[in-house]
Amino acid sequence: MSFRALLLEEKEGKVSGAVAAIDDAKLPPGDVTVAVDYTTLNYKDGLILANKARLVRQYPHVPGIDFAGTVSESGNPGFKPGDKVVLNGWGVGERHWGGMAEKARVKGDWLVKLPAAISTKRAMAIGTAGYTAMLCVMALEDHGLKRDAPVLVTGAAGGVGSVATAILAKLGYNVTAMTGRADQTDYLKSLGASAVVDRAEFANGPAKPMDSTRWAGAVDTVGGKVLATVLTQMAYGASVAACGNAAGADLPTTVLPFILRGVNLLGVDSVMCPGPQRKEAWARLARDLPLDKLDAMTSTATLADAPALAEKILKGQVRGRTVIEVKG
Ligand code: NDP
């Protein structure tokens, strides 16, 4: 038996990907085999497909840091054939073959059973980007964010940003979306943003060591000088959930926001996030993410489209979320 997958090969330091048939015997070790319905394109998939961050050490490799599908074989007491499951992270698509394939074999402990309200297609419309957005919202709430409060979302037209905007607006927060793409203003307002601000105002770093307070909370997907600027504008005791580095991995800040205003910088990691928190995030997504907004931010693509889409996501040219149909 064989299955179709996007296979990455490395030749003379260059990585290229093509759809290929792979023998089932080559599947990696694991106690659960999943018939994958959908995977998706996340920023990290872009880095892996374009070989930008040396995240993959061994080729040939099947990328895809997440997938949703149906269990076909299980040696794990927590899962049985027919269960609908989702996987995010744990090094899948990096150190372990991933979701850009019709079949995946993984440790059952890495899987989450999908809430009944979320189909496998919508699970991947959410993807790791959307699940991370939910983790960010949960982190802000755990640190006391109050409904109606002004919340900033950076990189708002991207995957994490779009989902964060839609969730926060549905929950009743007053969301300002930051974007570098003025032509996405109507899109961001349709997701529930009450205002849209230009990334250029933030991109050169803080104008002064501390600025007037503007935000009671922020979801930051970009890092760098943008995050440094946002920190100077946070209200007393407010929190920023920092999950991304689309603008850079550096953080040219001072300690002043922390020691003068008690600002909290909350790190959010989806990859090694413990099981109970993952399950809570997926349960919350079923409840708090409006499906019409999710559908409006989602495009579909095939495995063969993935390498070209990877280049686009790294240039900040992909809007919202992209589901990849593995049988397409
Ligand atoms: P996307 O590419 O979909 O979104 C990123 C957005 O950032 C872009 O759409 C753009 O938004 C903005 N952006 C792009 N380049 C720059 C730049 N140079 N300066 C400022 N803003 C920029 O990616 P995702 O939403 O999937 O991921 C966002 C980030 O979150 C990535 O860094 C990713 O690695 C990280 N991430 C982290 C996770 C974790 O576990 N911590 C999990 C998932 C993602 P706009 O055009 O609106 O300005």
Side-chain angles (χ1 to χ4, degrees):
M1 295 260 280
S2 69
F3 63 98
R4 285 171 78 248
L6 184 72
L7 196 66
L8 299 183
E9 309 244 31
E10 188 181 36
K11 276 198 194 106
E12 291 159 9
K14 282 199 81 178
V15 171
S16 59
V19 177
I22 302 178
D23 197 289
D24 279 15
K26 298 236 166 79
L27 279 167
D31 55 0
V32 179
T33 306
V34 178
V36 178
D37 294 332
Y38 299 97
T39 180
T40 174
L41 183 80
N42 295 281
Y43 192 88
K44 195 187 261 181
D45 295 311
L47 291 171
I48 289 167
L49 265 66
N51 195 25
K52 285 276 158 64
R54 300 293 302 161
L55 294 168
V56 176
R57 298 285 168 191
Q58 238 185 331
Y59 294 92
H61 177 70
V62 175
I65 65 163
D66 49 17
F67 61 76
T70 310
V71 170
S72 58
E73 287 169 47
S74 175
N76 182 305
F79 297 92
K80 58 180 184 330
D83 285 346
K84 302 285 180 199
V85 290
V86 62
L87 179 137
N88 301 99
W90 296 117
V92 171
E94 299 179 61
R95 298 183 291 280
H96 190 97
W97 279 12
M100 293 198 184
E102 288 174 334
K103 280 185 197 171
R105 186 173 292 148
V106 295
K107 274 192 187 174
D109 296 349
W110 296 343
L111 295 166
V112 171
K113 278 190 196 155
L114 268 179
I118 302 182
S119 65
T120 52
K121 185 167 187 182
R122 283 199 171 121
M124 283 298 100
I126 294 167
T128 297
Y131 143 70
T132 303
M134 190 74 241
L135 291 176
C136 289
V137 173
M138 286 160 52
L140 293 179
E141 289 177 344
D142 286 350
H143 284 78
L145 189 65
K146 299 274 182 304
R147 301 284 154 105
D148 294 327
V151 180
L152 178 70
V153 176
T154 68
V160 178
S162 292
V163 177
T165 300
I167 294 171
L168 288 163
K170 156 104 189 285
L171 290 173
Y173 297 104
N174 179 3
V175 184
T176 295
M178 177 200 295
T179 186
R181 293 180 269 178
D183 60 344
Q184 297 303 324
T185 298
D186 289 347
Y187 163 73
L188 291 165
K189 290 201 166 163
S190 76
L191 297 182
S194 58
V196 175
V197 288
D198 185 353
R199 185 206 295 165
E201 279 178 44
F202 299 77
N204 293 325
K208 35 190 169 171
M210 292 302 284
D211 210 337
S212 312
T213 60
R214 292 175 79 177
W215 320 112
V219 172
D220 177 60
T221 73
V222 304
K225 289 180 181 168
V226 170
L227 175 55
T229 308
V230 171
L231 285 168
T232 66
Q233 300 176 353
M234 300 306 296
Y236 194 88
S239 302
V240 180
C243 71
N245 61 351
D250 59 335
L251 180 54
T253 185
T254 72
V255 295
L256 295 183
F258 311 113
I259 64 174
L260 296 182
R261 287 203 192 131
V263 169
N264 304 303
L265 185 56
L266 313 175
V268 173
D269 168 58
S270 67
V271 178
M272 303 306 290
C273 173
Q277 219 176 318
R278 284 171 187 261
K279 285 182 190 140
E280 187 191 342
W282 278 99
R284 290 275 317 259
L285 283 158
R287 204 172 74 212
D288 296 335
L289 174 61
L291 293 180
D292 58 331
K293 303 265 191 307
L294 177 66
D295 293 346
M297 71 176 78
T298 305
S299 321
T300 50
T302 64
L303 282 180
D305 297 328
L309 283 169
E311 300 290 339
K312 284 184 82 177
I313 201 166
L314 296 181
K315 290 186 190 142
Q317 292 171 350
V318 169
R319 179 175 101 174
R321 303 280 306 124
T322 308
V323 169
I324 297 176
E325 199 161 356
V326 298
K327 292 185 172 53

